[in-house]
Amino acid sequence: MNIQGLDYNTQRSQLVLPEYGREIQEMVEYCISLPDRNDRLRCAKSIVAIMGRMHPQNRAKNRAEWENRLWDHLAILSGFKLDIDWPFDVSRAHSISTHPDKVAYPMTRIPVRHYGHILFEVFDRLKTMDPGPERDTLVRYAANQMKRNLVEWSHGSSDNEKVAADLARFTDGKIQLDLKQFKFEKVVKEPVVPTKRNKKK
């Protein structure tokens, strides 16, 4: 929708540092457009003074460090296009404005979500392990964690037979839990504490 005279946020450019608002962003754009270098510097100093008054709670103990941070923010707001004699070194602003790389996330699908991705990695490991104390320890860890997950998520039956059947299923029958000898750890489900609801006035 484009109605003459109305200015919607959805039609505006994205804010570089939203904490300073659109007015500061527009001031910075005006400052960049000034033809005279001295005028740009005077305008930049005025903008930094306003920025400092907007968030006094962020004022650092070291005044020089705090002012340097404000000038860094001005450089970021201008997209590093502001051509002035900077009173502070704003080279640090490049590292501040750089976003870290996204963390890789495993996108493999798992048959049941209540057991989680890590348990399925354990199942895959159990498929290839030789019988012995190390495998027995991992089986004990997996079975107890499966029971805790079932209790936590209240997903169907959480009895021992369910755990044994799922463990055999997801390890392709390599692990057969002997329920007559295997002892599960006691799982205590924490009671749900009701939250206080706001009473209607």
Side-chain angles (χ1 to χ4, degrees):
M1 178 175 16
N2 188 8
I3 302 176
Q4 188 175 1
L6 294 180
D7 188 15
Y8 291 94
N9 278 334
T10 53
Q11 298 170 336
R12 298 174 174 179
S13 59
Q14 187 174 1
L15 292 175
V16 179
L17 294 177
E19 59 267 31
Y20 289 112
R22 191 162 300 279
E23 287 76 15
I24 292 292
Q25 184 71 51
E26 290 175 353
M27 289 180 193
V28 173
E29 291 169 2
Y30 169 75
C31 184
I32 295 171
S33 69
L34 292 174
D36 185 75
R37 189 180 184 86
N38 292 327
D39 288 344
R40 285 197 299 271
L41 180 58
R42 278 195 297 271
C43 182
K45 288 179 178 178
S46 299
I47 293 171
V48 167
I50 297 170
M51 289 164 61
R53 287 194 294 269
M54 287 179 70
H55 301 287
Q57 72 277 10
N58 294 336
R59 188 186 300 264
K61 293 179 181 178
N62 186 331
R63 182 175 178 83
E65 180 185 343
W66 179 65
E67 289 183 354
N68 196 343
R69 189 187 312 158
L70 291 174
W71 284 96
D72 285 340
H73 290 176
L74 179 64
I76 295 169
L77 284 166
S78 69
F80 304 97
K81 297 175 185 175
L82 186 57
D83 183 19
I84 58 172
D85 296 321
W86 295 90
F88 289 89
D89 178 19
V90 293
S91 59
R92 185 179 59 173
H94 287 281
S95 61
I96 296 173
S97 63
T98 304
H99 297 288
D101 295 333
K102 289 186 177 181
V103 177
Y105 187 81
M107 299 304 292
T108 54
R109 292 183 62 83
I110 54 178
V112 286
R113 286 185 290 179
H114 56 269
Y115 285 143
H117 195 274
I118 293 176
L119 264 177
F120 275 89
E121 289 181 358
V122 173
F123 298 152
D124 290 338
R125 175 85 174 116
L126 287 171
K127 293 177 188 178
T128 61
M129 291 181 73
D130 295 325
E134 187 180 356
R135 191 178 81 167
D136 293 342
T137 301
L138 194 56
V139 167
R140 187 168 58 254
Y141 159 78
N144 282 298
Q145 186 60 45
M146 290 166 71
K147 180 118 185 222
R148 280 192 291 270
N149 286 14
L150 287 171
V151 171
E152 180 69 26
W153 292 99
S154 300
H155 193 75
S157 174
S158 63
D159 58 18
N160 299 345
E161 289 77 11
K162 168 72 172 169
V163 173
D166 283 348
L167 189 55
R169 173 187 168 198
F170 296 126
T171 59
D172 298 336
K174 298 288 176 63
I175 305 300
Q176 299 292 333
L177 206 60
D178 186 356
L179 294 177
K180 292 181 180 178
Q181 294 189 2
F182 187 85
K183 299 296 181 186
F184 285 92
E185 296 172 2
K186 188 175 180 181
V187 180
V188 179
K189 188 173 182 180
E190 296 293 331
V192 178
V193 180
T195 56
K196 293 181 180 179
R197 297 189 178 185
N198 296 330
K199 294 181 180 179
K200 292 183 180 180
K201 294 182 180 179

